[in-house]
Amino acid sequence: MSFILWMDVSDRLPTRDRIHKYDPEAVTTCVHCNSHLESHAHLLFECLFSRAIWTQLLNYCGTHWIGLCWNDFIAWASTHWRGNTSVIVAKKLCLGAAVYHIWRERNCCIFEGTKRTSSIVARSIIDTIRYRLSSINLKDHPLIALNWNVNAN
Ligand SMILES: [Zn+2]
């Protein structure tokens, strides 16, 4: 997951806006909403499909939508999500898992013709994070354990 996140932060994922630069015949619209240009920012953060996923994830993190664009959000997260406390680890897991799963869902839609709802994708992300958090000692962070419904041992 972290590799995909790095690819995105480095603005290198081959989204349709990038492909269009090399192939003028290529489709440019977002596969989820069919109404906006598929850019990194749109696909991963601004599309209503992605935003619905983020809204659920941020609820689990005990926070809410802060209304930033993708680049501002990444800059904000890299400033505020420093260290390895359980709270920060959970938020970093959210970011990495969201980028990975949203990118994977986009590819499944385009190349396999499958389409899942934002709720189902969010559930996959939440299950991934819960699995990862279950291996972390959350004894000092009972709220995270409670939010994510994992044992705090
Ligand atoms: Zn869209």
Side-chain angles (χ1 to χ4, degrees), residues 31-47:
V31 70
H32 297 302
C33 66
N34 288 314
S35 62
H36 289 81
L37 176 69
E38 185 197 81
S39 63
H40 285 87
H42 177 78
L43 177 69
L44 298 173
F45 208 60
E46 295 164 3
C47 183

Side-chain angles (χ1 to χ4, degrees), residues 28-130:
T28 58
T29 51
C30 169
V31 70
H32 297 302
C33 66
N34 288 314
S35 62
H36 289 81
L37 176 69
E38 185 197 81
S39 63
H40 285 87
H42 177 78
L43 177 69
L44 298 173
F45 208 60
E46 295 164 3
C47 183
L48 291 179
F49 177 85
S50 307
R51 191 164 292 196
I53 292 169
W54 279 105
T55 298
Q56 288 191 53
L57 294 179
L58 292 174
N59 280 339
Y60 272 77
C61 287
T63 186
H64 59 278
W65 186 258
I66 51 178
L68 299 174
C69 71
W70 175 249
N71 289 336
D72 289 346
F73 175 71
I74 291 299
W76 180 86
S78 64
T79 301
H80 290 83
W81 295 357
R82 291 178 181 267
N84 285 316
T85 65
S86 300
V87 175
I88 298 300
V89 167
K91 290 177 178 178
K92 287 178 179 175
L93 284 173
C94 256
L95 180 58
V99 169
Y100 173 81
H101 282 269
I102 291 170
W103 178 251
R104 184 169 169 264
E105 183 63 20
R106 174 254 191 209
N107 289 337
C108 287
C109 287
I110 292 173
F111 300 116
E112 297 173 17
T114 60
K115 205 160 196 161
R116 299 187 302 169
T117 65
S118 58
S119 295
I120 291 173
V121 175
R123 174 50 50 195
S124 294
I125 297 169
I126 289 162
D127 288 346
T128 298
I129 295 166
R130 289 185 64 229

